[in-house]
Amino acid sequence: LEFRRVLELPLDSDKRAIIFAVAHFGFFMLNFINVSYLVLVEGIALRNLGKNFLHKMCLAGCALQICSCFTSMWRENINDEYNAFWSGGGTFFSNFGFALCSSAVSVVWFHASKNRIKWWTITAIGWLLFHNVNSVISYMQWDEKHFGPFRPMVVIAALYQSIVMIYCVVQVKKGAIVVNPEAASKDQFERICLTMIAANVVAIGLTLLNMPMFKYPQTGWIYCTCVVFCKFAGQMDFAKTTSFGGVLAAFKTEGTAGEKTELLV
């Protein structure tokens, strides 16, 4: 299989379609593994999924990205790379998936806020609107720009999630967030976050090669790092109060301000 730059592959050629299809299959498989892990390991084996609201959001986000990858593989299978119907659907699914994952990690910003659920809910709605507006713009400008409006969303999601992880590490070092040693030591948790940040940076860097095989599978790392981070963040006491019921009551409920937060098992 050739690792070639996009510009070196003639549009509508079988070779281009095959390479893009295989690259998207790699992206598909990473999210298939994410979903399988969340359902089989976290859900059935450990029975933690029901208690981790952030992992539920990751599950929905990864499932939506699987749908997006399917539309991409379908486009390449029929060798119609810029098919408006399948491309529009893929953009919508992917934008929605990134919005859910960015919303999930956002709970960390409000770990000490007395109205943490309210502010998190507003932030989540903002991400959903931001990404879905992008889907509409992509659809409206499809004939002129194709995937142009959508591509920056991938970088934005990766950078944003990395910034949240950096913030979390800083708060752990300051003692504002206390890591329960039964889950991981302070040093272990910091290394986990730094490893996930490095993976996101590498994924963004590889996209600059403009080679499908070093672009689409690595984009799946953004979902993988989010799943790993949310395994721990979703067990923090401030995140454990976040749920569908909690969101519905967000504008009526107040938490406790200025407290230290713990990572609970």
Side-chain angles (χ1 to χ4, degrees), residues 191-231:
R191 289 197 297 271
I192 288 170
C193 289
L194 294 175
T195 301
M196 299 303 101
I197 294 165
N200 283 345
V201 171
V202 172
I204 294 172
L206 287 173
T207 63
L208 300 177
L209 296 175
N210 207 22
M211 296 179 178
M213 292 302 296
F214 288 109
K215 183 176 182 180
Y216 297 105
Q218 284 72 12
T219 304
W221 293 0
I222 301 169
Y223 285 92
C224 295
T225 58
C226 185
V227 169
V228 173
F229 178 74
C230 286
K231 175 178 174 62

Side-chain angles (χ1 to χ4, degrees), residues 156-169:
I156 289 172
L159 289 176
Y160 175 77
Q161 291 175 32
S162 298
I163 291 170
V164 173
M165 294 177 195
I166 292 171
Y167 173 77
C168 189
V169 171

